[in-house]
Amino acid sequence: MSSIRVLRTFAAVAGEGSFAAAAARVALTQAAVGQQMRALEADLRRPLFERQGKTVVLNEAGRELVPQVRRLLALYDQMLAPAHASDAMAGTVHLGAIVSAVRPLIQATLALKARHAALDLHVSAAKSIDLIASVQAGALDAAVVVREPGAPEEIAWSPLYAEPMVLLAPRRLEEANPRAILQSQPFIRFDPTQHTGLLVERTLARLRVKPQEFLELNALESIVELVRSGLGVSVVPLLRDARWQADAKLRVLEIPRAEERRIAVAQRRDSGKARVVAAVVRELRG
């Protein structure tokens, strides 16, 4: 019977994507991680990894095992919680967020950690589509993402807030009409293959304007910096924590009947960390 330590190592391998990275997380040598994983495969009587030279990745059986292992570890961590503190939370929880939501997520985890010392919370950043895939695969327990249509059925959603699309322009521009600005200024477009980019497309269609294409990027922070430098204008979501209105080099113009980017927490419906994730959601909602 594989020990809890071995299952923690397996969860680390699934989360980090390699034996070497997992070894650093669980304080073992890479050789020891490999030995534990071979023992786990022997116990379960099936291979869990595809090995190609020095590269090792989870196979289908390994991917199916990830959420089960995470649930077992969550139950074990609950058993370790002090008996006199029925509301205490413990264990390791892996969370993700789109870049614009990393800071509030870290603030939420710090607030939880201050009240629940036995919680071990890890936060990483990535694109929304990649975060949802990681939650679906069990590599993340939950993630703050852009809610997109057609998401996997096994994903449960906790809505957080909506970010309306706005026109971002250099402060020096005196024109107040968004449509006129878009027709006359170089346009910096957000990647149209991403959901946020599709919202930009729908916003432009609603305004019935075809802007002067200048550049295409998939990083909101880079777009904001280019607009601040006076190199163009852009249609972007009004980030919840953005202070663009107070920026001496930026103008934020509202767009009538603007599209909205909806931000939510995604987790698997069968998540073993639902209680902790619910607490994170409460912190994020403030």
Side-chain angles (χ1 to χ4, degrees):
M1 181 69 178
S2 293
S3 69
I4 290 295
R5 177 181 289 274
V6 171
L7 295 180
R8 288 198 191 282
T9 302
F10 174 78
V13 172
E16 298 292 342
S18 73
F19 284 5
R25 184 196 290 187
V26 297
L28 292 172
T29 65
Q30 185 173 343
V33 170
Q35 184 177 11
Q36 287 190 4
M37 293 304 93
R38 288 191 293 272
L40 180 60
E41 290 177 314
D43 281 353
L44 298 179
R45 299 178 183 176
R46 59 182 181 273
L48 302 174
F49 303 92
E50 294 178 359
R51 295 172 171 84
Q52 299 177 349
K54 294 183 178 181
T55 303
V56 179
V57 296
L58 288 172
N59 61 17
E60 184 176 355
R63 291 192 295 272
E64 290 177 352
L65 187 64
V66 171
Q68 300 175 51
V69 167
R70 291 195 182 279
R71 286 196 296 272
L72 281 172
L73 293 175
L75 289 171
Y76 183 75
D77 288 336
Q78 291 174 20
M79 292 168 58
L80 296 179
H84 62 277
S86 58
D87 63 337
M89 290 184 284
T92 301
V93 181
H94 295 277
L95 305 168
I98 53 176
V99 173
S100 62
V102 167
R103 183 170 63 178
L105 179 58
I106 290 176
Q107 291 171 336
T109 59
L110 290 175
L112 274 182
K113 179 69 174 176
R115 298 197 299 272
H116 304 278
L119 269 179
D120 184 17
L121 300 160
H122 297 261
V123 176
S124 59
K127 293 181 181 179
S128 189
I129 190 170
D130 296 328
L131 291 169
I132 293 173
S134 293
V135 171
Q136 185 181 13
L140 289 176
D141 295 301
V144 182
V145 299
V146 179
R147 182 165 185 177
E148 304 178 13
E153 292 184 1
E154 61 266 34
I155 297 296
W157 299 94
S158 299
L160 292 178
Y161 52 87
E163 298 172 333
M165 305 302 288
V166 296
L167 175 60
L168 199 62
R171 178 75 69 175
R172 60 175 173 75
L173 287 181
E174 297 181 359
E175 174 63 61
N177 185 294
R179 192 166 185 271
I181 291 174
L182 286 166
Q183 287 176 323
S184 64
Q185 299 297 317
F187 183 66
I188 306 169
R189 182 186 294 274
F190 191 87
D191 183 357
T193 65
Q194 304 293 320
H195 182 63
T196 299
L198 295 178
L199 294 177
V200 172
E201 290 296 308
R202 292 210 291 265
T203 299
L204 294 174
R206 179 168 293 178
L207 290 171
R208 297 181 180 178
V209 62
K210 186 174 178 60
Q212 301 177 26
E213 300 286 344
F214 168 59
L215 189 63
E216 180 182 303
L217 295 170
N218 63 2
L220 287 173
E221 296 76 14
S222 299
I223 290 175
V224 173
E225 285 303 314
L226 290 174
V227 175
R228 181 180 284 114
S229 299
L231 297 178
V233 302
S234 188
V235 173
V236 295
L238 181 59
L239 303 183
R240 187 187 192 189
D241 292 336
R243 293 175 173 81
W244 299 336
Q245 291 92 336
D247 193 311
K249 295 185 177 182
L250 290 175
R251 287 182 67 197
V252 179
L253 289 89
E254 294 184 2
I255 296 175
R257 302 182 305 279
E259 296 281 342
E260 291 184 330
R261 187 171 81 154
R262 300 189 179 278
I263 307 300
V265 171
Q267 65 176 311
R268 286 185 62 94
R269 295 186 186 279
D270 59 358
S271 171
K273 306 292 179 65
R275 184 168 174 242
V276 177
V277 174
V280 171
V281 171
R282 287 194 294 272
E283 291 291 336
L284 287 168
R285 288 174 176 169

